[in-house]
Amino acid sequence: MVSSLIDPTTRWWKAEVLRATFLPFEVDTILRIPLSYNLPEDKLIWIGNRKGEFLVKSAYHVAHSIVDASEEGESSSGDPYRQLWWNLWHLNLLAKIKIFAWRACVNGLPTCANISKRRINCSTACPICGLEPEDINHALLHCEAASLVWSLWLDYPRPPQGHHWSFLDMALHLNHSNAPQALDFFFVLSWAIWSKRNKLVHNDSPLSAPQVWTLANSSLEDFKNVAASLDILPPRHSQNRWEAPPQDVFKVNVDGATYYKEFSLCVIPLSFAFLSM
Ligand SMILES: [Zn+2]
């Protein structure tokens, strides 16, 4: 009942109960809903018309408006997924990690559970612990091997006790926590955990939890170094300024291009005399 979420003394939402029950962005939305001071009894109200009574005709209009909104490109600014996707593609991470993160959020990684759904003859059991089916949430969050890695992140924003958030829930939570670096690190650490899992599946030497931690941190560091070096590099054309050859010397300028099954080459010999004409 909604009334269980409202404190009758303060006549306001029980914020702690909300936080323990809903995802952060849902809590924010609920806390913005004003409450009647009289605290009337809970009752079902149809929001499709002013009387609050359900009519098929008004249901038709509501359905129509929903379809219209979706055809306009799902432009609702309150859509938490849209904001997550936008932020995800603008994170300070290597492109391969952003692609991994997006695939993990949309359940697009080749876990044993996902491969099994495609009717490929494969066990759904986790290849690391063998205790549970390997879906995205188990592989990246709940498997013992993954938990060991997460335990190294001392500031890891864990869900409230007793709650088992999915990978997507965690991403949404971090996306709304106004800590973009936490979202960066959540994804890069998940990527490193998935890399460890793949090494084990392909019989490569397995990584320990501290090695996975180091891999994630060095990947973040690599990206920062590359970004920093790109910022300080001078424009390319200032380094490769063409100069005419000395007298009696030929300079050969070449350029080439390749395309599918085709190759072209351009060679231009230039001499001081030719340039002087
Ligand atoms: Zn496992």
Side-chain angles (χ1 to χ4, degrees), residues 62-121:
V62 170
H64 212 276
S65 63
I66 291 171
V67 171
D68 286 348
S70 66
E71 286 177 351
E72 282 168 14
E74 297 172 344
S75 59
S76 165
S77 59
D79 181 348
Y81 297 101
R82 276 178 66 83
Q83 198 184 10
L84 174 63
W85 303 147
W86 195 92
N87 288 344
L88 192 159
W89 295 118
H90 290 82
L91 290 175
N92 289 326
L93 295 174
L94 296 171
K96 67 178 179 182
I97 299 178
K98 289 193 248 188
I99 293 168
F100 158 84
W102 176 75
R103 291 181 71 195
C105 285
V106 299
N107 192 22
L109 292 179
T111 59
C112 291
N114 279 344
I115 291 174
S116 175
K117 275 185 216 160
R118 293 178 189 171
R119 295 183 188 153
I120 296 169
N121 191 15

Side-chain angles (χ1 to χ4, degrees), residues 126 129 138 143:
C126 171
C129 69
H138 179 83
C143 183

